[in-house]
C-alpha cells in the first residue's frame, strides 16, 4: 500500500509579465523520502518552491500539506506550518553573529518581553551538536567562508522542526567533506519522517541521495521516476529534450607563449602567502584546492580587489600593478566573482544595465552621451550568444534564475574583450546544458589567444576543461599537474599538503 503524501502540489501555474514560468506543474512528496527536483536554468524549479514557500502567489492549482489545503501568503506563515527552505542565494545579516542569524525574528524571550541570551545560546548549542556543525555561535557572519554560512542556513532550517525542507542547490558552496556531512543530516531528517525536496544540477548527488526524481522543462512537468531507475544519460535527455553525448566540448586550443608571469604574490590580511605561476596564450589554467586554501585570493590579488603584500605581475613582458579593479580592467583583466548575488549583479537594475556596465566607454558618442542603440545591440548579442532566458532586455536581473544571472555577468565581461579572464566557480548553480555552452565559450576565448584562469570545486570540470591545474593548500602553491595526465586522487593529495 502506498504511503499517504506529506505534500501534494497539483497543477501549479504562475505567470510573470511576458513569460509563463509554471504551466500546471504537479509534485508529490512522501514522508521520510528525498524528492529531487531537476531541470535546466529557467525550467521553473525555484519558482515552484517559492510558490510553496509563500514568496510568490500562485496563479492556479492547489497545495495540500498532510492532507489539508494550504496557501501560504508569506515565508513566515510557511515556516509556522512546518515548511522550511534553504535558498541557493544566501540572504543573511552579515554584520550580526551566527546565533543572531539563527533566531532572527523569533528570539526566545522571558516573560514574553526580554530576549533570553541564555536560552538562545543553549538552543544553538543543542542544534549544532545534533547536526555536528562546528561553528562558533558568536562569530560574525561576514568573517566566515561561504561554506560555513551555508551550514548555518541549513541548521536554521532544521531548527524550525519542519515537516518539509527544501534544499535549493545546497552543495554549491560546500567541499566534498561538507557534502558528506550534509548527506548525513539529510539521512537523519529522513529517518524522522521529514520530507526533503532537493534541487541540484549535480547528477551524481541526485542519484546518490534521492528516492524519487521529478524533472521539469520550460515551466512544465516532464517526468517523475524512482531514482534507482534513472541514469545520468536519461536525466540529461529528459532535462534538455535531446541527447547530450559529451559533458565537455573537444579541446581544440593550442597554448602558446607566456603572456602572464606571476611571481611570489601574497595578500595582506588574507590566507594567500606565496604563489608563483605562468599563464600561456590560449591556455585554460585551473586552480584547485580545499575551501580556504587561497584559490579565490589568487584571483582577487590579480584583479586588485585584495591589497597585495608582495610579489610581481608581468603581462606580455611588461610589469603591471593592478592595484585596483579599474586598473586591472584597463590592463585587460576580467573577474567573474564567486558570489554573483553579493559581488556580481546589480539586482534592481535591468539586463541591459548589468551587461554594459563594465564597458560603458565603448558606447560614448563624442565622448559625452551614451548610445542607447549601441548598448541595446551589444546586449542583444550577449543574450543570443549566452542563450539567456529572459522576456526582454528591460527585465530586472534579480528576477532571472541563478544560472541566467551568471550568463549575463559572463556576457558583460566578454564585452570588455579581456586578455586574461579570471573565473571563480563559473558554472556554480548552472544546469548541464548551460554548462556545456559556458565551457565552449571559455574554449572559444582560448582559441582566440586569450588566457583563462579558472577556480572550481568540481574536479571533473577542472580535468575536462583545463590544460594545466595549479593546486593551492594553506595559502601556498602545493603543486602543478597536467590535466590530461593526472587524477582526482593526486590533486586531493596535493590539496592536503599544507593543511
Amino acid at each position: 500500500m502506498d504511503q499517504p503524501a506529506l505534500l501534494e502540489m497539483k497543477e501549479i501555474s504562475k505567470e510573470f509579465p511576458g513569460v509563463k514560468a509554471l504551466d500546471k506543474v504537479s509534485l508529490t512528496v512522501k514522508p521520510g523520502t528525498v524528492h529531487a527536483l531537476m531541470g535546466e536554468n529557467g525550467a521553473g524549479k525555484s519558482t515552484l518552491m517559492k510558490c510553496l514557500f509563500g514568496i510568490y502567489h500562485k496563479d492556479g492549482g492547489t497545495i495540500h500539506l498532510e492532507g489539508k489545503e494550504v496557501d501560504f501568503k508569506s515565508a513566515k506563515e510557511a515556516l509556522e506550518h512546518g515548511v522550511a527552505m534553504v535558498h541557493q542565494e544566501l540572504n543573511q545579516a552579515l554584520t550580526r553573529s551566527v546565533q543572531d542569524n539563527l533566531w532572527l525574528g523569533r528570539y526566545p524571550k522571558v516573560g514574553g518581553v526580554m530576549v533570553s541570551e541564555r536560552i538562545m545560546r543553549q538552543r544553538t548549542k543543542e542544534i549544532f551538536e545534533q547536526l555536528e556543525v562546528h561553528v562558533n555561535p558568536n562569530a560574525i557572519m561576514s568573517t566566515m567562508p561561504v561554506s560555513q554560512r551555508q551550514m548555518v542556513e541549513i541548521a536554521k532550517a532544521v531548527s524550525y522542526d519542519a515537516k518539509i525542507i527544501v534544499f535549493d542547490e545546497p552543495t554549491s558552496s560546500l567541499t566534498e567533506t561538507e557534502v558528506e556531512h550534509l548527506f548525513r543530516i539529510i539521512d537523519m531528517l529522513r529517518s524522522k519522517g521529514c520530507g526533503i525536496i532537493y534541487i541540484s544540477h549535480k547528477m551524481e548527488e541526485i542519484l546518490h541521495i534521492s528516492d524519487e526524481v521529478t524533472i521539469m522543462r520550460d515551466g512544465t512537468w516532464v517526468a517523475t521516476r524512482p531514482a534507482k531507475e534513472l541514469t545520468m544519460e536519461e536525466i540529461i535527455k529528459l532535462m534538455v529534450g535531446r541527447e547530450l553525448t559529451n559533458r565537455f566540448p573537444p579541446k581544440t586550443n593550442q597554448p602558446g607563449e607566456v603572456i602572464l608571469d606571476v611571481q611570489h604574490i601574497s595578500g595582506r590580511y588574507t590566507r594567500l602567502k606565496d604563489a608563483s605561476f605562468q599563464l600561456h596564450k590560449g591556455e585554460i589554467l585551473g586552480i584547485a584546492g580545499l575551501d580556504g586554501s587561497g584559490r579565490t585570493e589568487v584571483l582577487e590579488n590579480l584583479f586588485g580587489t585584495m591589497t597585495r603584500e608582495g610579489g610581481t605581475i608581468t603581462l606580455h613582458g611588461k610589469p603591471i600593478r593592478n592595484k585596483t579593479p579599474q586598473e586591472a580592467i584597463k590592463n585587460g583583466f576580467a573577474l567573474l566573482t564567486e558570489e554573483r548575488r553579493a559581488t556580481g549583479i546589480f539586482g534592481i537594475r535591468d539586463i541591459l544595465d548589468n551587461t554594459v556596465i563594465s564597458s560603458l566607454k565603448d558606447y560614448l558618442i563624442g565622448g559625452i552621451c551614451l548610445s542607447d542603440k549601441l548598448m541595446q545591440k551589444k546586449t542583444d548579442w550577449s543574450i543570443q550568444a549566452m542563450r539567456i532566458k529572459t522576456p526582454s532586455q528591460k527585465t530586472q536581473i534579480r528576477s532571472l534564475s541563478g544560472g541566467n544571472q551568471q550568463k549575463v555577468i559572463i556576457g558583460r565581461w566578454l564585452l570588455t574583450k579581456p586578455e586574461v579572464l579570471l573565473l571563480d566557480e563559473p558554472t556554480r548553480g548552472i544546469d548541464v546544458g548551460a554548462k556545456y555552452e559556458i565551457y565552449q565559450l571559455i574554449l572559444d576565448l582560448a582559441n582566440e589567444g586569450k588566457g583563462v584562469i579558472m577556480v572550481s570545486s568540481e574536479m571533473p570540470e577542472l580535468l575536462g576543461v583545463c590544460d594545466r591545474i595549479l593546486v593551492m593548500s594553506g595559502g601556498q602553491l602545493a603543486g602543478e599537474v597536467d590535466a590530461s595526465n593526472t587524477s582526482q586522487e593526486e590533486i586531493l593529495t596535493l590539496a592536503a599538503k599544507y593543511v
Side-chain angles (χ1 to χ4, degrees):
M1 188 175 172
D2 285 344
Q3 279 181 298
L6 182 61
L7 172 73
E8 279 188 294
M9 303 182 75
K10 294 181 178 178
E11 299 194 337
I12 305 298
S13 296
K14 178 65 183 175
E15 286 192 41
F16 297 107
V19 62
K20 191 155 194 170
L22 296 173
D23 187 7
K24 296 184 177 179
V25 176
S26 297
L27 177 72
T28 301
V29 180
K30 296 168 187 171
T33 65
V34 177
H35 197 116
L37 193 54
M38 300 196 74
E40 291 189 278
N41 292 112
K45 307 180 300 294
S46 294
T47 302
L48 182 65
M49 291 301 96
K50 286 175 180 176
C51 287
L52 166 65
F53 200 55
I55 297 172
Y56 292 157
H57 177 68
K58 66 185 187 311
D59 297 328
T62 59
I63 301 172
H64 287 81
L65 182 65
E66 293 184 306
K68 295 178 182 177
E69 186 169 349
V70 295
D71 187 10
F72 304 131
K73 298 294 187 286
S74 67
K76 182 175 182 289
E77 191 180 341
L79 287 163
E80 287 169 352
H81 284 79
V83 178
M85 187 169 177
V86 180
H87 296 273
Q88 178 184 353
E89 306 287 359
L90 298 177
N91 189 13
Q92 298 165 319
L94 296 180
T95 59
R96 304 303 295 265
S97 70
V98 167
Q99 189 170 272
D100 281 336
N101 273 269
L102 207 61
W103 301 104
L104 202 62
R106 52 181 183 134
Y107 289 120
K109 295 176 182 176
V110 178
V113 180
M114 297 290 291
V115 173
S116 173
E117 290 281 345
R118 182 186 63 79
I119 296 173
M120 192 159 57
R121 190 162 47 247
Q122 180 62 30
R123 287 185 183 173
T124 302
K125 183 183 176 186
E126 288 170 1
I127 292 164
F128 281 5
E129 284 178 354
Q130 178 192 6
L131 302 180
E132 299 177 8
V133 171
H134 305 295
V135 174
N136 179 3
N138 297 316
I140 301 301
M141 293 297 288
S142 62
T143 65
M144 294 162 41
V146 178
S147 59
Q148 286 191 3
R149 287 171 48 203
Q150 182 79 309
M151 292 307 292
V152 171
E153 202 68 12
I154 290 165
K156 183 177 180 178
V158 172
S159 75
Y160 280 94
D161 199 22
K163 303 161 192 163
I164 292 281
I165 300 182
V166 180
F167 290 92
D168 192 354
E169 295 287 350
T171 64
S172 62
S173 305
L174 303 184
T175 63
E176 286 189 29
T177 304
E178 287 163 336
V179 170
E180 289 171 9
H181 183 191
L182 171 64
F183 287 172
R184 289 197 300 274
I185 292 172
I186 288 174
D187 282 335
M188 179 200 74
L189 294 168
R190 181 158 46 187
S191 69
K192 289 183 174 182
C194 190
I196 307 292
I197 300 174
Y198 193 93
I199 302 174
S200 178
H201 293 301
K202 298 180 180 178
M203 279 172 283
E204 295 91 343
E205 288 181 6
I206 292 292
L207 295 174
H208 173 71
I209 196 70
S210 305
D211 298 295
E212 288 187 292
V213 181
T214 287
I215 295 159
M216 295 176 64
R217 189 194 315 141
D218 297 328
T220 63
W221 175 89
V222 174
T224 297
R225 304 261 185 89
K228 61 186 178 184
E229 294 180 7
L230 287 167
T231 64
M232 285 176 61
E233 291 73 22
E234 286 172 314
I235 291 173
I236 292 169
K237 187 176 180 181
L238 288 166
M239 276 174 57
V240 302
R242 63 184 189 277
E243 298 281 356
L244 195 65
T245 51
N246 298 309
R247 286 181 69 181
F248 307 101
K251 287 188 65 59
T252 54
N253 60 312
Q254 297 290 330
E257 72 273 12
V258 172
I259 58 170
L260 181 69
D261 187 16
V262 178
Q263 294 296 320
H264 305 293
I265 57 168
S266 59
R268 191 174 295 175
Y269 317 120
T270 69
R271 307 178 187 91
L272 185 60
K273 301 169 190 172
D274 182 31
S276 299
F277 59 89
Q278 293 180 324
L279 176 68
H280 297 255
K281 181 178 181 179
E283 181 181 34
I284 303 169
L285 179 65
I287 303 183
L290 303 175
D291 192 49
S293 63
R295 301 171 307 176
T296 293
E297 286 82 351
V298 170
L299 303 191
E300 290 177 342
N301 200 300
L302 293 176
F303 197 65
T305 55
M306 172 198 294
T307 304
R308 190 173 306 118
E309 184 73 36
T312 61
I313 304 172
T314 306
L315 181 67
H316 296 303
K318 177 185 173 184
I320 57 172
R321 297 183 305 167
N322 282 11
K323 283 194 170 184
T324 65
Q326 290 84 353
E327 187 179 351
I329 293 169
K330 190 177 178 181
N331 286 325
F333 286 71
L335 171 64
L336 183 80
T337 57
E338 180 181 11
E339 287 193 75
R340 62 176 163 261
R341 186 175 180 183
T343 56
I345 66 168
F346 297 89
I348 62 171
R349 307 300 298 180
D350 61 26
I351 290 168
L352 185 146
D353 289 343
N354 273 274
T355 300
V356 302
I357 190 70
S358 295
S359 53
L360 287 174
K361 67 180 188 305
D362 296 338
Y363 315 116
L364 287 172
I365 300 172
I368 302 172
C369 299
L370 288 168
S371 167
D372 287 338
K373 188 177 179 181
L374 193 53
M375 289 193 293
Q376 289 164 6
K377 181 181 177 183
K378 291 295 184 181
T379 303
D380 265 336
W381 172 86
S382 178
I383 290 170
Q384 295 301 319
M386 300 303 300
R387 298 189 186 180
I388 298 164
K389 291 181 180 176
T390 175
S392 77
Q393 296 185 4
K394 293 299 180 182
T395 302
Q396 279 192 350
I397 192 171
R398 65 182 178 184
S399 70
L400 300 187
S401 67
N404 280 301
Q405 290 177 10
Q406 189 81 316
K407 291 181 185 180
V408 172
I409 305 168
I410 294 173
R412 171 201 300 169
W413 286 119
L414 293 184
L415 288 174
T416 67
K417 301 180 179 64
E419 283 290 302
V420 178
L421 187 60
L422 310 173
L423 305 172
D424 199 351
E425 304 286 3
T427 64
R428 172 172 290 168
I430 291 180
D431 66 76
V432 65
K435 276 185 178 183
Y436 190 93
E437 293 164 6
I438 288 172
Y439 298 148
Q440 189 62 62
L441 279 163
I442 292 169
L443 192 64
D444 290 345
L445 281 167
N447 279 322
E448 290 172 15
K450 311 298 185 188
V452 179
I453 304 178
M454 183 172 96
V455 168
S456 177
S457 300
E458 294 189 34
M459 213 76 73
E461 180 170 90
L462 291 172
L463 295 169
V465 176
C466 301
D467 300 297
R468 286 184 300 133
I469 301 170
L470 307 176
V471 186
M472 296 294 295
S473 178
Q476 303 175 65
L477 187 59
E480 175 190 311
V481 295
D482 184 335
S484 62
N485 191 29
T486 188
S487 64
Q488 294 192 33
E489 290 74 21
E490 183 182 12
I491 292 171
L492 287 170
T493 301
L494 287 169
K497 187 174 182 179
Y498 300 124
V499 173

